[in-house]
Amino acid sequence: MLGLAHMQSGFDGLCFSGSFVFVVDNLPPVGSRQLNAILAFVKKYPANAYVFLADEIPGPLLLGSTYQLGIEHKQLYIHHLKRPAVRELTRRWLSPSGLYSSEVFQTVLRRIANARLPSTAYVVSLIALTLERHRNPLSVINEASLLERFIEAILNKASLKDVVRSSMDFTIKQEFLAEVARQLVDIQSYVIEKNAIVQLALEFISARGWKNDAASFVDELIQTGVLFCVGESVWFRYRCLREYFLARYMMNHDDYKEYVL
């Protein structure tokens, strides 16, 4: 953009004067080459404002820890909704239909706890919508269906090109993630190496005669948020997702179901 605006020659001057706010999403892990390059840029042009975004992960970004960047910075966290916020969001959603009550609020909390989903605004809204559609908020709701809706939403948000794809893509992603869940059980771990999951994707794709790029396929699943990657380690973002996809694997493989039982 700077080149198109014939400003490239003045880029250094603008950076030195602090003319920019740089936002870096998915901050790389400490010690990585990418992060070192970012920090070198920050130290060269310290007058600008910098915003680094990253998920909380097992390691330097855990709440209360210090991310050792080697530069002065302030850490801020976007937390899951606390009870008052969950109550208020539930009230705003259900009050217009006359369905809100203290009992309904407790039902929302139980749904979150039982499904072991994060108490994000999306999840609370999803539960409130489900209760609203039932018209009887205190009735029994199939929590497996609730979890399935949650997974469908995150698997379908990978990129804009998904809008014009067939629904078969969703099924393919689910089948592969079920394979990953089974593989994690086989190795008795919650974490799999990036190379190992790419190799699993390559075998999965080759067995079906597709031409997809295995590494891109895995990266797309990481972008959706169903998988999480730090360095060379990959795992399911939420424990309930691993359990859900393992159950799907059992549904599609009678021999494995018999083995588990």
Side-chain angles (χ1 to χ4, degrees):
M1 291 178 64
L2 289 171
L4 292 174
H6 306 289
M7 296 174 61
Q8 188 64 53
S9 59
F11 179 64
D12 272 356
L14 291 170
C15 285
F16 278 119
S17 66
S19 301
F20 297 104
V21 176
F22 292 98
V23 180
V24 180
D25 197 8
N26 297 321
L27 191 65
V30 172
S32 66
R33 185 175 60 182
Q34 297 94 329
L35 181 60
N36 291 337
I38 293 170
L39 295 178
F41 184 89
V42 174
K43 292 174 181 178
K44 183 178 180 180
Y45 304 111
N48 299 290
Y50 297 90
V51 179
F52 297 151
L53 305 176
D55 285 290
E56 186 178 359
I57 58 174
L61 280 184
L62 284 174
L63 185 62
S65 65
T66 302
Y67 202 3
Q68 302 296 336
L69 294 179
I71 57 175
E72 185 178 349
H73 66 284
K74 182 178 181 179
Q75 286 183 211
L76 301 174
Y77 292 88
I78 300 176
H79 299 280
H80 290 168
L81 298 181
K82 295 187 181 296
R83 284 175 64 98
V86 174
R87 181 191 297 273
E88 179 62 15
L89 180 55
T90 305
R91 185 192 65 78
R92 292 190 182 193
W93 190 289
L94 295 176
S95 288
S97 58
L99 296 176
Y100 178 75
S101 67
S102 295
E103 291 79 6
V104 170
F105 166 62
Q106 293 299 326
T107 298
V108 171
L109 293 180
R110 285 195 298 273
R111 299 289 177 240
I112 294 173
N114 292 345
R116 285 191 279 184
L117 291 170
S119 56
T120 61
Y122 170 75
V123 170
V124 175
S125 299
L126 179 62
I127 294 173
L129 175 62
T130 305
L131 296 174
E132 185 178 45
R133 287 180 174 175
H134 275 71
R135 300 303 301 175
N136 180 4
L138 301 181
S139 63
V140 176
I141 294 176
N142 187 325
E143 285 160 359
S145 298
L146 185 65
L147 183 58
E148 193 169 23
R149 288 189 182 184
F150 175 74
I151 290 169
E152 182 176 359
I154 59 178
L155 281 183
N156 286 329
K157 74 172 188 179
S159 62
L160 290 176
K161 61 187 177 182
D162 279 344
V163 175
V164 295
R165 289 180 178 177
S166 69
S167 60
M168 181 60 69
D169 266 9
F170 174 70
T171 303
I172 291 169
K173 292 171 187 174
Q174 285 212 110
E175 288 183 8
F176 175 70
L177 290 168
E179 294 279 353
V180 173
R182 207 293 304 272
Q183 179 76 7
L184 288 171
V185 171
D186 287 350
I187 63 176
Q188 298 183 349
S189 175
Y190 288 98
V191 178
I192 186 171
E193 293 300 309
K194 180 74 174 291
N195 288 338
I197 193 173
V198 170
Q199 179 61 35
L200 189 64
L202 181 61
E203 295 170 1
F204 181 84
I205 290 170
S206 298
R208 289 156 179 79
W210 300 334
K211 302 297 183 182
N212 306 58
D213 179 79
S216 297
F217 182 66
V218 171
D219 286 340
E220 186 174 333
L221 290 170
I222 293 170
Q223 291 168 17
T224 66
V226 67
L227 295 177
F228 197 70
C229 178
V230 176
E232 294 303 314
S233 298
V234 179
W235 60 89
F236 282 102
R237 179 177 291 268
Y238 303 115
R239 183 72 58 86
C240 63
L241 298 183
R242 177 180 180 271
E243 295 170 354
Y244 170 86
F245 285 112
L246 185 60
R248 288 202 66 87
Y249 189 88
M250 291 172 59
M251 289 171 60
N252 297 329
H253 298 81
D254 289 338
D255 56 338
Y256 189 72
K257 180 173 63 176
E258 290 178 8
Y259 163 75
V260 171
L261 295 177

